[in-house]
């Protein structure tokens, strides 16, 4: 009877224990898509992320980065005759000779998606669209966007102008670390005051409906507004070749995600896919701080130091994105020597610590010296208080023996000199007699 009760109890616990199962992947109709953790860059979902596609106005993310890093936002810009020529699509009707601040052009670029503003920024910073495109491509390579090539600053369709969902995600991740960029794309309205060529203000509005729209879309069988809780950017795009594109960002608590959708068939499909990507990230993953700056690790022995050990700590805060429902504990792998030799400056990297879950690396942090350890000075052989020899260490004996030997040699030399003097004195006295 007891065995039966135990068996039934174990069966009950087994059946009612929470079991982790992989989350169902989102249904994405667009040509390419990705969602990543904005802090770590970890890919949470992907579809054709390295396929080269026309990026349309999501190109302006790169233009905005360079404008902020290279330009002076308070500077007045005089629009040249070339800028308005050949501009199609979204614009703010810039006129030759018109004077605007560089900041106004930047807001027009990122909120209104103005193609003439993009061209004005490029010419102002580099002298020509062609030269500015070289800077765009250089920056893309620096960020790791290896499958991207820009020909213009606005994203209008041109041969050899392409990017990928992955590349746009890492470009956006970099851009959102810049406070100026982040603050601009977190707005969906902006006002440009009257200029020397315009008698009325320009009122700009973003096409990123995640920020404000109550228009409804069907997500998992439910009709909900396009406006997304926590949305804070970034950039839409559309051309006949690229179709509907969106690079988006949303933050909830400590967790922030970046999603990219390329070549959606229509506007509603674009936002449905974006909702599905962001929901997938927020519903199935969470951000956890796994290490803290100045967190104590251990004391490491130090040879020949003025301190017996050095205290080691972690050099920075470290967060990781972790699947919800996992029963595995976070494991650590410590790479730290058993002992060190002085001197050790404060802040020196001693080793590192790796955090893992289910054998996969979540993140790595450096371990540094929290204190300075100087080299130990040569110990005194004679105690200054008692004038007695200190012979507790083995290396004290050679020093003492050396001093004795030197004293012996000195005494012998002194006796020899004294003996020679006596002989010389006797010789002189005998000669006088």
């Amino acid at each position: 009877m007891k065995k039966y009760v135990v068996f039934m109890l174990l069966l009950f616990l087994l059946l009612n224990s929470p079991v982790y199962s992989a989350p169902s992947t989102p249904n994405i109709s667009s040509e390419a898509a990705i969602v990543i953790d904005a802090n770590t860059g970890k890919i949470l979902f992907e579809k054709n992320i390295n396929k080269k596609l026309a990026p349309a106005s999501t190109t302006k993310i790169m233009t905005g980065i360079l404008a902020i890093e290279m330009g002076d936002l308070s500077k007045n810009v005089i629009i040249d005759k070339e800028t308005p020529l050949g501009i199609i699509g979204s614009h703010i009707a810039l006129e030759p000779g018109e004077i605007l601040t560089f900041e106004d052009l930047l807001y027009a670029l990122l909120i209104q998606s103005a193609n003439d503003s993009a061209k004005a920024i490029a010419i102002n910073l580099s002298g020509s669209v062609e030269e500015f495109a070289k800077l765009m491509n250089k920056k893309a390579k620096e960020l790791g966007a290896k499958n991207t090539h820009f020909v213009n600053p606005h994203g209008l369709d041109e041969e050899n102008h392409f990017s990928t969902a992955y590349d746009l995600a890492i470009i956006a991740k970099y851009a959102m670390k810049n406070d100026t960029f982040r603050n601009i794309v977190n707005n969906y309205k902006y006002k440009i005051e009257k200029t020397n060529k315009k008698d009325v203000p320009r009122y700009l509005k973003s096409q990123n409906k995640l920020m404000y729209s109550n228009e409804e879309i069907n997500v998992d069988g439910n009709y909900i507004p396009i406006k997304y809780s926590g949305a804070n950017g970034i950039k839409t795009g559309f051309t006949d070749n690229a179709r509907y594109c969106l690079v988006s960002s949303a933050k909830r608590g400590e967790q922030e995600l970046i999603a990219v959708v390329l070549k959606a068939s229509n506007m509603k499909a674009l936002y449905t896919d974006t909702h599905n990507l962001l929901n997938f990230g927020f519903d199935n993953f969470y951000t956890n701080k796994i290490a803290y700056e100045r967190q104590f690790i251990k004391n490491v022995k130090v040879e020949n130091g003025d301190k017996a050990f050095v205290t080691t700590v972690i050099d920075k805060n470290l967060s990781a994105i972790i699947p919800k429902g996992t029963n595995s504990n976070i494991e650590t792998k410590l790479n730290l020597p058993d002992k060190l030799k002085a001197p050790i400056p404060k802040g020196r990297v001693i080793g590192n610590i790796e955090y893992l879950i289910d054998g996969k690396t979540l993140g790595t942090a450096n371990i540094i010296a929290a204190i300075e350890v100087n080299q130990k000075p040569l110990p005194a052989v004679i105690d200054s208080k008692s004038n007695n020899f200190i012979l507790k260490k083995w290396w004290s004996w050679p020093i003492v023996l050396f001093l004795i030997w030197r004293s012996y040699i000195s005494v012998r030399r002194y006796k020899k000199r004294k003996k020679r003097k006596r002989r010389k004195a006797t010789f002189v006295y005998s000669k006088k007699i």
Side-chain angles (χ1 to χ4, degrees), residues 304 376-397 399-400 403:
N304 198 30
K376 191 175 183 179
L378 288 174
V381 177
I382 298 178
D383 188 339
S384 60
K385 293 182 180 179
S386 63
N387 291 325
N388 294 324
F389 286 105
I390 302 173
L391 304 176
K392 294 181 179 180
K393 301 291 184 179
W394 66 267
W395 37 258
S396 300
W397 284 100
I399 297 174
V400 172
L403 293 174

Side-chain angles (χ1 to χ4, degrees), residues 24 52 69 86 155 168 185 225 232 243 302 337 378 381 395:
S24 57
K52 296 176 182 178
E69 293 182 348
L168 288 171
V185 297
N232 57 357
R243 302 307 296 163
V302 178
L378 288 174
V381 177
W395 37 258

Side-chain angles (χ1 to χ4, degrees), residues 225-240:
I226 291 176
K227 183 178 179 180
Y228 194 84
S229 174
N232 57 357
I234 303 176
K235 190 71 195 72
T236 60
F238 173 83
T239 67
D240 290 338

Side-chain angles (χ1 to χ4, degrees), residues 269 274 416:
T274 299
K416 285 181 179 180

Side-chain angles (χ1 to χ4, degrees), residues 79-151:
I79 303 303
D80 66 328
K81 293 180 180 180
E82 182 186 347
T83 293
L85 299 177
I87 292 297
I88 58 175
S90 179
H91 61 84
I92 57 170
L94 291 174
E95 296 184 28
E98 187 173 7
I99 302 173
L100 297 89
T101 65
F102 197 86
E103 183 179 33
D104 284 340
L105 291 175
L106 184 59
Y107 270 87
L109 173 85
L110 294 173
I111 292 182
Q112 187 68 26
S113 194
N115 295 328
D116 51 356
S117 181
K119 189 175 179 181
I121 288 171
I123 291 174
N124 183 263
L125 291 177
S126 298
S128 70
V129 166
E130 293 74 21
E131 288 302 313
F132 188 75
K134 292 178 182 179
L135 296 178
M136 296 173 73
N137 291 321
K138 180 181 177 183
K139 189 70 174 183
K141 295 300 180 289
E142 289 175 0
L143 299 180
K146 298 178 181 179
N147 294 308
T148 293
H149 188 267
F150 296 117
V151 177

